[in-house]
Amino acid sequence: MLWFMEGICFLPISLVIMSSSTFIVSYLIALFEHDVDVIFPYISDTGAEPPESCVFGLMTVITAFAGMATMYARYKFVEKLNEKVGGVSPALNQGAFWIGMLSCLGMCFVATFQETTITAVHDAGALLFFVSGVLYTILQSIISYKAFPYGCSLALCRVRTGMATIAFLAVFPTVVCAVFVTQTTLHRKTEDEDNVFHLVSAVSEWIVAFSFIFFFFTYIHDFKKFTLKLRIQFVDYS
């Protein structure tokens, strides 16, 4: 059996491919249409104008649902693992799962409310996505250590912790510097007063986003070990 067909590792693989493709494809289309600058636009800038906004919105929503499916599978894996060997608090596992769902909800808001149309809702969705996403990676890193050595190897625990740390450190300049960005134009000039804040915020945003991608990439190893089965139970109400 091919490695990507083992267990249900197709879920994190699909999530990684869809999320990275969303960022890259919309960026390339926006460049081709001359809607953004080459050097570090915000991720949302690459999906602000049609036709890239249509592609960005569709692919982001698909990514959000792929994220939900992956997070649910991870939740059930930890739940079953905990039944056999213990070590992970059910409350911690459930808390990480619901925080992950909030991050996916934030992605849906980002996808459906472009920053050039309803900025307040878009920014709120982006904040929900980034903050909840960082918390999710932190909690899952803690879960990985608590489940060790049954969940994954120590090296993988450290990789997840590293990705979570990078995302945690990068989310602060992403949010803080964005507050000082006063212009909403998609094209920037080096002489703009807020250009430095824009660059720091945009670079940090890309770092956070790809930290999430690499974090979910580490799930492939775990997802080879199990499968999910749908059980249907009929209830007689007569």
Side-chain angles (χ1 to χ4, degrees), residues 1-187:
M1 180 181 293
L2 298 176
W3 67 270
F4 56 83
M5 296 178 64
E6 297 180 16
I8 55 171
C9 66
F10 68 89
L11 279 178
I13 290 174
S14 300
L15 176 57
V16 168
I17 292 175
M18 278 303 304
S19 56
S20 57
S21 297
T22 299
F23 302 143
I24 296 172
V25 171
S26 59
Y27 171 70
L28 292 177
I29 296 175
L31 282 182
F32 181 79
E33 295 290 328
H34 304 289
D35 290 331
V36 296
D37 298 323
V38 176
I39 304 299
F40 291 112
Y42 279 119
I43 294 175
S44 298
D45 290 349
T46 66
E49 298 292 337
E52 61 267 19
S53 60
C54 305
V55 176
F56 180 83
L58 176 62
M59 295 182 70
T60 302
V61 169
I62 294 175
T63 300
F65 281 100
M68 290 179 183
T70 303
M71 291 174 183
Y72 178 74
R74 169 68 178 175
Y75 163 72
K76 297 302 291 184
F77 170 69
V78 174
E79 183 183 60
K80 197 66 178 179
L81 186 66
N82 198 49
E83 291 177 2
K84 293 185 176 181
V85 299
V88 180
S89 167
L92 176 61
N93 189 29
Q94 292 174 7
F97 170 71
W98 288 112
I99 289 175
M101 292 298 103
L102 285 177
S103 68
C104 293
L105 177 63
M107 288 185 67
C108 292
F109 278 109
V110 170
T112 52
F113 297 92
Q114 282 77 32
E115 65 174 350
T116 54
T117 54
I118 308 179
T119 305
V121 178
H122 177 89
D123 290 345
L127 184 64
L128 179 64
F129 165 61
F130 282 118
V131 174
S132 299
V134 169
L135 287 176
Y136 177 80
T137 59
I138 292 173
L139 292 178
Q140 286 297 337
S141 297
I142 295 173
I143 289 174
S144 297
Y145 275 107
K146 287 184 174 293
F148 176 79
Y150 302 102
C152 63
S153 65
L154 183 59
L156 208 53
C157 291
R158 290 171 176 169
V159 170
R160 288 176 183 168
T161 302
M163 293 296 101
T165 302
I166 292 173
F168 176 77
L169 294 176
V171 77
F172 286 103
T174 300
V175 176
V176 173
C177 291
V179 175
F180 296 97
V181 178
T182 57
Q183 300 183 46
T184 57
T185 179
L186 299 180
H187 293 281

Side-chain angles (χ1 to χ4, degrees), residues 159-217:
V159 170
R160 288 176 183 168
T161 302
M163 293 296 101
T165 302
I166 292 173
F168 176 77
L169 294 176
V171 77
F172 286 103
T174 300
V175 176
V176 173
C177 291
V179 175
F180 296 97
V181 178
T182 57
Q183 300 183 46
T184 57
T185 179
L186 299 180
H187 293 281
R188 312 289 306 187
K189 298 179 180 178
T190 55
E191 59 267 20
D192 292 339
E193 294 182 358
D194 60 350
N195 188 56
V196 174
F197 294 110
H198 165 78
L199 281 177
V200 173
S201 181
V203 171
S204 300
E205 182 185 54
W206 283 91
I207 292 174
V208 174
F210 277 93
S211 296
F212 291 163
I213 292 174
F214 285 115
F215 187 90
F216 284 109
F217 187 81

